[in-house]
Amino acid sequence: SSLSLSISSSLFLNCSSISLLLSSAFLCSSSLSLSLFSNCCVSSAISLSLSLFFCFRFSISLSLSLYSLFNSSISLFISSFSLISLSLISSLSSSISLSLSPNLCFRSSIS
């Protein structure tokens, strides 16, 4: 009876140690999967922040390009306005000089 009791107690201890080993292995695998999940979350957050940074840089570049285009259009408008004004002034002065020319010829012939 004492032999069967010692066998059964040693079997119980063996089963207990095996279940303890399995529990510790399960805990290790759970902590490993939790750390892998947290690493994935951190890498996803880093990727998202980098994407937002590049989108911000792209929007700044786009706004600078639009600003340059606006400045170029203003410069083109000013240049065309100046050219039109100069041509109008030139044609006006030419017409004035042409209209004064016969008058001067007439005065010089009289004198």
Side-chain angles (χ1 to χ4, degrees):
S1 159
S2 120
L3 180 64
S4 69
L5 183 64
S6 85
I7 289 174
S8 66
S9 65
S10 72
L11 282 175
F12 177 73
L13 284 176
N14 283 341
C15 286
S16 297
S17 65
I18 287 173
S19 88
L20 186 62
L21 281 173
L22 287 174
S23 298
S24 65
F26 177 72
L27 283 176
C28 284
S29 66
S30 296
S31 66
L32 182 65
S33 66
L34 184 63
S35 103
L36 286 175
F37 176 72
S38 66
N39 282 342
C40 286
C41 286
V42 167
S43 65
S44 297
I46 289 173
S47 298
L48 182 64
S49 64
L50 284 175
S51 299
L52 288 175
F53 175 71
F54 285 124
C55 284
F56 180 68
R57 282 188 63 186
F58 176 72
S59 66
I60 287 178
S61 300
L62 184 63
S63 63
L64 285 176
S65 299
L66 288 175
Y67 178 71
S68 298
L69 185 65
F70 179 70
N71 277 343
S72 299
S73 65
I74 286 179
S75 298
L76 184 65
F77 175 73
I78 289 174
S79 299
S80 63
F81 182 72
S82 299
L83 186 64
I84 289 171
S85 301
L86 283 175
S87 64
L88 281 176
I89 289 173
S90 170
S91 67
L92 185 65
S93 67
S94 296
S95 67
I96 287 175
S97 70
L98 280 175
S99 69
L100 288 178
S101 160
N103 205 2
L104 286 175
C105 286
F106 180 71
R107 280 188 184 173
S108 66
S109 69
I110 287 179
S111 47

